[in-house]
Amino acid sequence: MTDSRPVIRRRPPQIAQVSSISSTMLDVIVALLPALGMAVYLFGIRVLALTAVSVITCVAAEYLYCRLRKLPDSTQDLSACVTGLLLAMTLPVTAPYWAPVLGGVFAIVVVKQLYGGLGRNFMNPALAGRMLLTTFPGLMTRWVEAFQRPGLLSTADAVTSATPMSYLHNGQLPPQSVGQLLMGQHGGAMGGVAVMMLILGGLYLVARRVIQPRAPLAFLATVALLTFLFPQGDGGRVAWMLAQLFSGGLMLGAIFMASDYTTTPVTPRGQVLFGVGCGLLTVLLRYFGSYPDGVGWAILTMNCCVWLLDRTGMPHRFGVGRFAATRAQVAQVRESLAQIKFVKPQLRIFSRAGEGTMPGEGYLDELRLKVRHGGALAVTVALMAGLVFGVHELTDFDTVRTETKLQQELLSQVMPEATTRTETPYRASGALSITAGYNNSGLVGYCVEVQAHGFGGLMTAVVGVNTNGEVTGVAITSHNETLSVGTQALESDYLDQYKGKSGTIRSSGSNAVDTISGATATCEAITDCVNQALSIVANLDTEGVEYVDGEV
């Protein structure tokens, strides 16, 4: 008996399992979940709120753009969800809710859809949205310490702290151990601090064959090699290298952004060159740039060089010389140039409309299509701008007003005679920031933010020093001291005894301050902060520096 069923013939290679864009994006989301969960544990429920706003914004922006342009709905491939998730993980937990809205709209509409959608964009959308938000300095520099957990609606109570990258940028090793850096027990981006969870997510993607490890490994190896050969800290080459690897957004960028299909090379050699270039630019920007972490700018710069890296990394065909392709291209260009003919233009100044000088129907149809597309784009931009403005007005006014009030209260505590505080370009070893206090008469002094180790851990203080080298006030902005006993030294009654002091303050003898019984370590840490600030102001080099004042 003959089998009448049709015979299906397939040519190799055979795909063993179904692989689609949505399944690939789902794997990326699964790989990011451990880092997201750790971020919720470290920074609180506000992480989930910011992530939800970011993801919803990206999906809505893509859906509305496709509807207005009458394009197929591409939200089901989950690429917009990945963009929103990655964008949220690069933000500080104190970011206002309009920040992921602005970054998400820019990432989806401008960076992705205007270039043709998924697979045609030349830059990583999430990273481009994040770097757009760095144009708001006050937004992307308010990092809080782990376990502070700001509220859902207000971050006024959150105390900013120095990140490991701020120490490394000043040529110092961070106070955190390698274990704390791996587990994210410090200030930083929500999803970028938990290095161990990001490594686990990367291993999952490699095991699932979602990404190739060439570019991430070349990226990390280049950073490790350069920081090992050219250390800046005093703790040794290995300690400096590990601190550079486990700080900032290096792991998040190397694993999840330097392995993007669209914005990275497809040839193996090109992927290695891409990773090496990202690592080299990252180290250069970290060492010599004004921004502490250069991972984002490094990856975006190398995104623009992908076409060149793919051409450089193109494998040679068997039996063909190394420069055969180059010679063929030169010959093709020469042949194309030979076909160029210069024709003398014919000007018809006095031609009539009947002789074909008026635009035809084809031109009108083309113009009508351009107007329709431009109108759809204008409506999309207007809607998204209105959405961003509305969210900004609803969420940011109270935050800015509260932040301004807190800054004014801080200034009145550390430098009562000053009415405004401005940024300065001065940098000194041990100073997290140096600002200048002014009143109607001119410069009053400097407010120096320093840190010291207390009984419970790292303590951050702002010390005011006038132009005569005397302390005008002390404020503790961050600490981990024990309640009741340790915090007695943080009250204004105790801090007021530092006012008017100069030189080197001691715990006993001349030029000394009293200590509180049971809080000796806390008192010594405060004295250390004050002495650091006095020394920094005394040795501050202000000659030949010109800058424009701007209120903080």
Side-chain angles (χ1 to χ4, degrees):
M1 181 178 180
T2 8
D3 192 354
S4 60
R5 290 179 298 178
V7 178
I8 300 176
R9 303 181 185 274
R10 294 190 179 95
R11 295 181 179 232
Q14 306 286 343
I15 300 178
Q17 60 181 6
V18 178
S19 179
S20 61
I21 297 177
S22 59
S23 63
T24 300
M25 296 299 170
L26 184 60
D27 280 331
V28 177
I29 294 175
V30 172
L32 287 170
L33 287 181
L36 180 63
M38 194 65 179
V40 176
Y41 171 71
L42 293 173
F43 300 111
I45 197 68
R46 185 179 172 86
V47 173
L48 292 180
L50 284 171
T51 304
V53 171
S54 180
V55 172
I56 292 173
T57 299
C58 291
V59 174
E62 184 157 331
Y63 176 77
L64 291 176
Y65 185 88
C66 293
R67 286 295 301 270
L68 291 174
R69 291 293 308 276
K70 296 182 180 180
L71 299 174
D73 184 13
S74 58
T75 57
Q76 298 179 357
D77 60 14
L78 301 181
S79 61
C81 296
V82 173
T83 300
L85 184 56
L86 284 174
L87 174 62
M89 297 183 75
T90 62
L91 300 177
V93 70
T94 56
Y97 288 110
W98 60 262
V101 175
L102 176 61
V105 171
F106 179 79
I108 295 298
V109 176
V110 178
V111 181
K112 180 181 176 182
Q113 291 296 338
L114 288 184
Y115 287 93
L118 182 65
R120 295 180 177 88
N121 52 288
F122 71 96
M123 286 194 302
N124 187 285
L127 192 54
R130 197 265 182 189
M131 301 319 292
L132 171 69
L133 296 177
T134 58
T135 57
F136 301 89
L139 171 67
M140 300 302 292
T141 55
R142 294 187 65 240
W143 312 105
V144 300
E145 197 67 33
F147 304 111
Q148 281 202 25
R149 301 186 177 96
L152 275 176
L153 301 179
S154 175
T155 60
D157 297 334
V159 180
T160 58
S161 63
T163 63
M165 282 309 307
S166 64
Y167 287 97
L168 294 172
H169 193 59
N170 291 324
Q172 300 175 347
L173 285 173
Q176 292 84 6
S177 64
V178 175
Q180 290 175 320
L181 293 177
L182 284 172
M183 299 309 298
Q185 297 177 5
H186 56 82
M190 297 189 304
V193 295
V195 174
M196 180 61 70
M197 301 304 166
L198 294 172
I199 294 175
L200 292 177
L203 293 176
Y204 170 80
L205 293 179
V206 173
R208 292 277 297 173
R209 297 183 179 179
V210 175
I211 64 172
Q212 293 292 334
R214 298 186 189 94
L217 289 180
F219 193 167
L220 297 175
T222 303
V223 173
L225 178 63
L226 293 177
T227 54
F228 180 81
L229 295 177
F230 307 102
Q232 292 185 343
D234 298 330
R237 297 177 182 271
V238 176
W240 181 261
M241 178 189 69
L242 293 177
Q244 288 282 352
L245 286 175
F246 299 151
S247 300
L250 181 59
M251 285 296 171
L252 181 63
I255 296 174
F256 291 95
M257 296 177 180
S259 59
D260 183 31
Y261 290 161
T262 307
T263 58
T264 55
V266 296
T267 59
R269 190 183 305 171
Q271 292 172 358
V272 174
L273 293 175
F274 180 85
V276 172
C278 288
L280 178 61
L281 289 176
T282 297
V283 175
L284 290 176
L285 291 172
R286 284 185 172 185
Y287 277 24
F288 306 107
S290 59
Y291 194 69
D293 197 0
V295 173
W297 297 116
I299 296 177
L300 289 181
T301 303
M302 294 305 297
N303 285 160
C304 301
C305 304
V306 167
W307 65 274
L308 180 61
L309 297 177
D310 269 334
R311 286 181 175 271
T312 305
M314 190 70 69
H316 300 291
R317 289 184 296 171
F318 180 76
V320 178
R322 298 182 62 86
F323 298 100
T326 304
R327 288 194 294 268
Q329 290 179 0
V330 171
Q332 184 178 2
V333 170
R334 187 180 302 168
E335 182 180 356
S336 299
L337 292 176
Q339 298 297 325
I340 297 177
K341 305 295 182 182
F342 293 97
V343 180
K344 182 179 179 180
Q346 298 179 0
L347 300 179
R348 298 182 179 180
I349 302 177
F350 301 102
S351 300
R352 296 193 300 270
E355 296 178 357
T357 59
M358 299 296 292
E361 292 296 330
Y363 177 76
L364 293 177
D365 293 339
E366 182 180 356
L367 182 62
R368 190 181 299 111
L369 183 62
K370 291 181 179 179
V371 171
R372 186 185 300 118
H373 290 171
L377 178 60
V379 172
T380 303
V381 173
L383 290 176
M384 292 306 171
L387 179 62
V388 171
F389 180 77
V391 175
H392 177 272
E393 289 295 320
L394 290 174
T395 61
D396 195 54
F397 181 73
D398 293 336
T399 303
V400 172
R401 184 173 57 183
T402 306
E403 178 67 20
T404 304
K405 181 181 178 182
L406 291 175
Q407 291 293 334
Q408 194 62 35
E409 291 177 353
L410 177 64
L411 179 61
S412 63
Q413 182 177 352
V414 300
M415 193 168 289
E417 297 181 3
T419 56
T420 58
R421 186 161 63 104
T422 67
E423 297 178 351
T424 68
Y426 310 134
R427 294 174 61 182
S429 177
L432 302 182
S433 65
I434 302 176
T435 55
Y438 290 87
N439 58 17
N440 295 331
S441 302
L443 178 66
V444 177
Y446 298 97
C447 301
V448 185
E449 186 178 11
V450 290
Q451 288 185 327
H453 283 280
F455 179 78
L458 206 60
M459 176 188 298
T460 305
V462 177
V463 183
V465 182
N466 61 20
T467 53
N468 296 325
E470 299 174 347
V471 178
T472 59
V474 182
I476 308 300
T477 58
S478 174
H479 68 89
N480 295 303
E481 305 304 297
T482 55
L483 297 177
S484 67
V485 178
T487 53
Q488 290 180 6
L490 309 179
E491 298 176 356
S492 58
D493 294 338
Y494 178 80
L495 297 176
D496 286 344
Q497 65 178 326
Y498 289 95
K499 292 182 178 180
K501 297 287 185 181
S502 61
T504 302
I505 303 175
R506 298 177 175 84
S507 57
S508 61
S510 60
N511 200 31
V513 294
D514 298 331
T515 58
I516 297 177
S517 177
T520 305
T522 305
C523 296
E524 290 178 351
I526 298 174
T527 303
D528 187 15
C529 289
V530 175
N531 285 331
Q532 287 185 59
L534 288 171
S535 175
I536 289 170
V537 174
N539 297 285
L540 195 62
D541 184 13
T542 61
E543 296 295 332
V545 179
E546 297 180 0
Y547 67 99
V548 179
D549 294 339
E551 290 190 10
V552 175

